[in-house]
């Protein structure tokens, strides 16, 4: 039976920062900065968290369904490394604010940047199992990076590094069913690969640590090994010829370009001019949204897939090879087919327009978010969101029926819809 993505949407936040402006302000070497291949980064504001991002990504998908189809969403998986509680899953909040049927299995997955694809593949298996014929699954990958370093007894400080310009905030929601209008999965065509490596981690909830060089090496290793495993299951697969497009997990553009170059050299014995042309044709479409949102961890591979489908030439159906990598690590290469009809449906969510309408932060406004009074920290017990913090940014989402965080009361987060 066919299975895959029935609908897909992105929420890239309500505000963004020009990353070249940030790099110059930080005094970073812009020649090195060019390798990031970034333009903008989505920035989480005080009234935004993984729940608001996830709900705002999923709501258009859910609202487009007739009531009887909405009630067939029987599985909700949230995928994040930005959870707000060690026990209570954010899927409970998302389930509530989307108004989903209570006869629904809901839980959360944490596996670094691989979590979104782990959720997608779990949803695919659920639909294929036919345990509940006709049921749908909703997968919401949502992550934010506020780039704060917190030490016991210290106030918040920012980690100014080359990782800061590429770290974003956002969510991708996918509706999975036996009606894969947007992306039909090649069932059984996947290669996965994982092992223990300390390349990146989040040892405390509000801070990250890692080894950038080790992470790059692990990413390159996993990209090659997952494809080799894919080829064992699909012997006729050829890296250069089988896939009309390639969608990569994109921590930053230069990492993707390096991985693709390595794969073309090893698997296709291609020369530099040929590799560059292939990169522009097959890989670049998947980077358009990534360059405007940044690395959103568990949602990034899905962000790249959405960008590929929106910007591909699909006069005839095209096969897309997808690579997902999560630090620590687990990775997967899989594929599916997109068509012009599905592209038309997805473009109806006007993702590019939504990104265009975000509020542009100044450097001063961005840095004000690192003040302790404005920081939304893990484990906050009581907090009333100050509406006077960046009022222009809050005003920019009014009238758009978006979910925003209003208060935390005895650890319970309370939200409201803007009007």
């Amino acid at each position: 039976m066919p299975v895959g993505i029935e609908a897909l949407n992105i929420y890239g936040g309500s505000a963004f920062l020009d990353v070249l402006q940030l790099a110059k302000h930080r005094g970073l070497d812009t020649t090195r900065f060019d390798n990031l291949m970034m333009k903008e980064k989505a920035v989480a504001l005080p009234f935004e968290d993984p729940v608001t991002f996830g709900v705002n990504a999923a709501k258009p998908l859910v609202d487009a369904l007739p009531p009887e189809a909405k009630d067939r969403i029987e599985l909700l998986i949230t995928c994040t490394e930005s959870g707000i509680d060690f026990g209570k899953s954010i899927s409970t909040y998302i389930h509530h604010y989307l108004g989903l049927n209570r006869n629904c299995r809901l839980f959360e997955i944490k596996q670094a940047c691989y979590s979104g694809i782990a959720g997608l593949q779990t949803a695919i298996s659920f639909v294929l199992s036919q345990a509940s014929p006709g049921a749908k699954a909703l997968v919401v990958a949502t992550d934010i990076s506020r780039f704060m370093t917190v030490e016991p007894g210290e106030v918040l400080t920012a980690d100014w590094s080359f990782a800061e310009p590429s770290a974003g905030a956002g969510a991708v929601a996918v509706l999975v069913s036996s009606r894969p209008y947007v992306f039909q999965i090649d069932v059984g065509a996947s290669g996965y690969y994982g092992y223990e490596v300390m390349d990146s981690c989040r040892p405390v909830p509000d801070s990250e640590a890692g080894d950038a060089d080790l992470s790059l090496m692990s990413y390159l290793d996993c990209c090659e090994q997952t494809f080799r495993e894919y080829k064992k299951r699909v012997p006729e697969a050829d890296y250069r010829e089988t896939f009309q497009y390639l969608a990569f997990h994109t921590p930053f553009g230069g990492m993707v370009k390096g991985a693709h170059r390595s794969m073309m050299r090893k698997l296709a014995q291609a020369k530099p001019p040929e590799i560059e042309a292939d990169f522009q044709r097959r890989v670049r479409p998947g980077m358009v949204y990534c360059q405007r949102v940044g690395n959103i961890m568990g949602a990034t591979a899905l962000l790249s897939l959405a960008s590929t489908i929106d910007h591909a030439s699909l006069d005839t159906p095209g096969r897309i090879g997808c690579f997902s990598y999560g630090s620590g690590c687990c990775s997967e290469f899989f594929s599916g087919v997109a068509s012009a009809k599905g592209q038309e449906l997805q473009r109806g969510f006007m993702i590019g327009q939504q990104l265009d309408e975000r509020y542009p932060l100044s450097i001063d406004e961005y840095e004000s978010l690192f003040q302790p009074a404005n920081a939304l920290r893990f484990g906050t017990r009581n907090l009333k969101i100050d509406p006077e913090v960046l009022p222009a940014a809050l005003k920019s989402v009014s009238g758009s029926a978006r979910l925003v965080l209003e208060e935390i009361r005895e650890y319970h987060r309370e939200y409201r819809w803007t009007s």
Side-chain angles (χ1 to χ4, degrees), residues 375-383 408 410-413:
L376 182 60
R377 296 180 60 179
F378 183 93
T380 297
R381 182 169 185 171
N382 291 291
L383 177 69
I408 303 176
E410 291 300 316
Y411 302 113
H412 185 254
R413 299 201 175 199

Side-chain angles (χ1 to χ4, degrees), residues 193-255:
Y193 188 75
Y195 53 93
E196 197 282 320
V197 60
M198 200 62 173
D199 60 329
S200 179
C201 64
R202 224 181 245 208
V204 294
D206 297 312
S207 182
E208 298 179 29
D211 182 327
D213 292 336
L214 181 59
S215 188
L216 173 61
M217 293 301 103
S218 297
Y219 183 99
L220 294 175
D221 177 39
C222 287
C223 188
E224 178 182 350
Q225 298 304 326
T226 54
F227 180 74
R228 291 190 183 280
E229 181 64 21
Y230 177 98
K231 189 172 174 61
K232 289 179 182 177
R233 302 175 187 222
V234 188
E236 67 274 17
D238 180 89
Y239 182 78
R240 179 165 51 182
E241 302 297 335
T242 299
F243 313 102
Q244 283 68 58
Y245 293 94
L246 294 163
F248 285 79
H249 168 60
T250 308
F252 59 91
M255 198 165 184

Side-chain angles (χ1 to χ4, degrees), residues 133-173:
K136 302 176 187 291
L138 179 63
V139 179
V140 181
T142 176
D143 265 309
I144 64 172
S145 179
R146 299 183 190 273
F147 254 77
M148 298 171 183
T149 300
V150 184
E151 298 295 339
E154 295 184 1
V155 297
L156 294 169
T157 59
D159 176 16
W160 310 136
S161 67
F162 275 92
E164 184 193 6
S166 62
V172 181

Side-chain angles (χ1 to χ4, degrees), residues 9 40 73 76 84 100 110 118 128 273 314 348 350 391 402 406:
N9 188 43
E40 302 163 354
I73 297 176
L76 168 61
I84 59 177
L100 298 182
K110 175 180 70 67
L128 285 173
L314 295 172
M350 298 181 290
R402 294 184 192 176
E406 186 170 46

Side-chain angles (χ1 to χ4, degrees), residues 17 35 37 45 50 52 69 81 103 112 122 126-128 141 172-173 185 205 212 220 273 322 340 357 384 398 413:
L17 183 68
N35 185 52
M37 301 176 69
L45 299 179
T52 67
E81 60 181 71
N103 299 119
T122 300
F126 168 72
V127 174
L128 285 173
V172 181
I185 290 288
L220 294 175
C322 306
E357 292 172 350
K384 181 74 174 178
S398 62
R413 299 201 175 199

